[in-house]
Amino acid sequence: MKFDSVVLGGGIVGVSVALHLQQRGLHVALVDRRAPGNETSLGNAGLIQREGVFPYAFPRDAATLARYASNRSADVRYHPAALPALAPFLYRYWHHSRADRHARIARAYSTLIEHCVTEHRALVEMAGAQALLRTGGWIKAFRTEAALQRALAEARRAQVEYGVPYEALDRAALQAAEPALRAAFAGALRFTSADSVSDPGGLVAAYAKLFEARGGQVLTGDANTLEPAWRVTTQNGPVEASHAVIAMGPWSGEIARGFGYDLPLAVKRGYHMHYAARDGARLNQPLLDAEGGFLITPMVRGIRLTTGVELGLRDAPKTPRQLEAAEPRAREIFPLGERVDAEPWLGCRPCTPDMMPVIGPAPRHDGLWFAFGHAHHGLTLGPVTGRLIAEMVTGARPVADPHPFRADRF
């Protein structure tokens, strides 16, 4: 089977790449071991974060570092046995998080973020997936006035520097927006330019269905069989293409390593669980309890509770202690009922130490392309990443300068 391009990875990034290549007239195959949307893209908070111009930095103040070191923080936990392997990555992450470096990174990162909502809405319209999309933003709530004021300062900075709007909600306004909330938060921010979805995996599946309806092929195969230039084994037989795009999320590093690219890719693990809502309670939009270290959001399956970051090796067994710690706190603020899922879901966010994805050509192999390392913003940046890759492959003018995201920057 011969194609113009083969895309390895059926998550939001890979499916978006396949769609955009197809829109530019290429014959495309999408290859993964599972159906689209059933790995990392299944379990996120469903946010399309137009406000997310500042990528999540490594803390540099002593108080926060000490709190994380105790390994009892609500938002960050770690596996002690994994720290020796993670130490080089964490040091580089800390290095890039210095205020001046982080500001430079944000200037490049924001060129992708600014297109996230418009690019998603275009695909949603074409895929007929409007029922999964919520507009109107999401809420970040704060238990203390001090934390609220720090967040307000950052929101004002994002508004001034990048034109990102927000609304400040006092206690009464927050209660009016979410009447079922029980806790007395000091206040909140609503990021009004963001969107969210009620089924991230379902959204990816809808995009994949559009891809197939337009003549694309979704094939089951093993990305580890990729060989120049370019051939991969699938259950339907070998696939050959002029271009191959690695969009395998947390598995991308090992595929790239097979071609001699030792990219500094690590993972931030995270968990979710769904709950029924008690007594007819309704949650209108995603809500992050910033100091509680968790987010609750209305999904098709129920109220989804998502955790913060667990630092560990990608394939280590589940240790959902964060979820166990967050659940009682979540029940304090919202009337959660019984658990819907049989066990917690675990996913791995692929991260680079400079907090920016790798998007662009492989430096030493013609026709090989990288699209991974989106960390917390895989869903947010999937469609614009797909557009950027397709524009580079076809020689079109890119929607954003791809230079900051090149693979040889490390």
Side-chain angles (χ1 to χ4, degrees):
M1 293 183 289
K2 294 187 176 181
F3 295 83
D4 297 313
S5 299
V6 58
V7 180
L8 305 177
I12 184 61
V13 175
V15 172
S16 297
V17 170
L19 265 174
H20 275 282
L21 288 168
Q22 184 186 63
Q23 287 180 5
R24 284 157 180 79
L26 276 63
H27 186 34
V28 185
L30 179 68
V31 177
D32 203 343
R33 62 183 181 180
R34 301 183 68 183
N38 279 282
E39 290 285 1
T40 307
S41 293
L42 181 71
N44 55 73
L47 301 179
I48 303 170
Q49 292 188 253
R50 173 63 186 90
E51 87 294 339
V53 292
F54 302 116
Y56 294 98
F58 196 98
R60 296 179 65 93
D61 63 286
T64 303
L65 290 172
R67 178 164 58 86
Y68 288 169
S70 72
N71 211 16
R72 293 192 296 272
S73 174
D75 51 348
V76 176
R77 299 284 181 99
Y78 60 88
H79 292 178
L83 289 182
L86 293 175
F89 172 86
L90 293 175
Y91 172 75
R92 294 175 73 175
Y93 184 14
W94 174 85
H95 170 82
H96 286 293
S97 296
R98 197 177 73 182
D100 58 333
R101 298 183 183 116
H102 189 248
R104 288 196 297 271
I105 288 167
R107 285 193 288 273
Y109 195 68
S110 64
T111 64
L112 293 180
I113 289 287
E114 69 176 299
H115 300 287
C116 66
V117 167
T118 53
E119 291 297 322
H120 259 293
R121 288 183 180 179
L123 293 186
V124 164
E125 181 71 24
M126 289 185 282
Q130 294 91 336
L132 299 178
L133 185 69
R134 284 188 300 258
T135 60
W138 65 282
I139 291 176
K140 189 174 185 178
F142 300 88
R143 296 176 179 237
T144 65
E145 186 66 28
L148 175 61
Q149 292 305 316
R150 289 193 295 270
L152 279 168
E154 183 170 293
R156 285 191 289 267
R157 177 186 168 199
Q159 185 177 55
V160 170
E161 295 183 16
Y162 299 104
V164 177
Y166 70 94
E167 292 177 357
L169 306 178
D170 60 18
R171 291 182 180 180
L174 176 58
Q175 197 67 48
E178 294 293 346
L181 286 183
R182 294 169 166 173
F185 288 99
L189 300 177
R190 176 158 47 202
F191 298 107
T192 55
S193 59
D195 285 351
S196 63
V197 296
S198 60
D199 184 355
L203 184 70
V204 177
Y207 289 174
K209 186 177 179 180
L210 172 65
F211 169 71
E212 289 185 286
R214 292 181 167 181
Q217 291 197 38
V218 177
L219 303 170
T220 302
D222 182 1
N224 287 291
T225 65
L226 181 68
E227 58 186 47
W230 294 100
R231 182 185 178 100
V232 65
T233 301
T234 76
Q235 290 184 359
N236 296 64
V239 166
E240 296 180 358
S242 301
H243 300 275
V245 183
I246 298 175
M248 294 289 297
W251 296 274
S252 298
E254 64 192 55
I255 307 299
R257 196 172 301 117
F259 297 97
Y261 299 98
D262 189 15
L263 300 173
L265 200 67
V267 299
K268 294 179 181 178
R269 292 158 44 116
Y271 298 86
H272 83 226
M273 173 61 68
H274 291 100
Y275 302 82
R278 293 178 54 195
D279 304 323
R282 178 180 175 86
L283 185 66
N284 296 315
Q285 58 213 301
L287 184 139
L288 174 67
D289 183 337
E291 291 155 287
F294 63 87
L295 182 144
I296 54 174
T297 182
M299 293 284 182
V300 169
R301 189 167 170 80
I303 303 298
R304 178 178 289 184
L305 167 62
T306 68
T307 69
V309 170
E310 181 183 74
L311 296 172
L313 301 181
R314 185 192 65 196
D315 298 328
K318 293 180 182 180
T319 54
R321 288 187 289 271
Q322 274 180 304
L323 183 68
E324 301 297 336
E327 184 177 306
R329 293 188 174 192
R331 292 186 184 279
E332 291 174 1
I333 71 167
F334 187 85
L336 296 176
E338 68 277 6
R339 287 186 170 190
V340 174
D341 305 324
E343 62 180 43
W345 180 90
L346 167 65
C348 297
R349 311 171 183 99
C351 305
T352 66
D354 67 358
M355 297 157 275
M356 294 197 297
V358 181
I359 305 172
R364 299 186 300 276
H365 291 80
D366 290 340
L368 183 62
W369 301 82
F370 297 151
F372 51 79
H374 295 76
H376 297 263
H377 287 154
L379 178 67
T380 294
L381 294 177
V384 69
T385 297
R387 177 176 171 178
L388 185 57
I389 285 284
E391 288 166 340
M392 286 190 282
V393 168
T394 59
R397 182 178 179 178
V399 65
D401 180 5
H403 184 74
F405 314 108
R406 67 198 186 281
D408 61 0
R409 69 183 190 266
F410 297 109

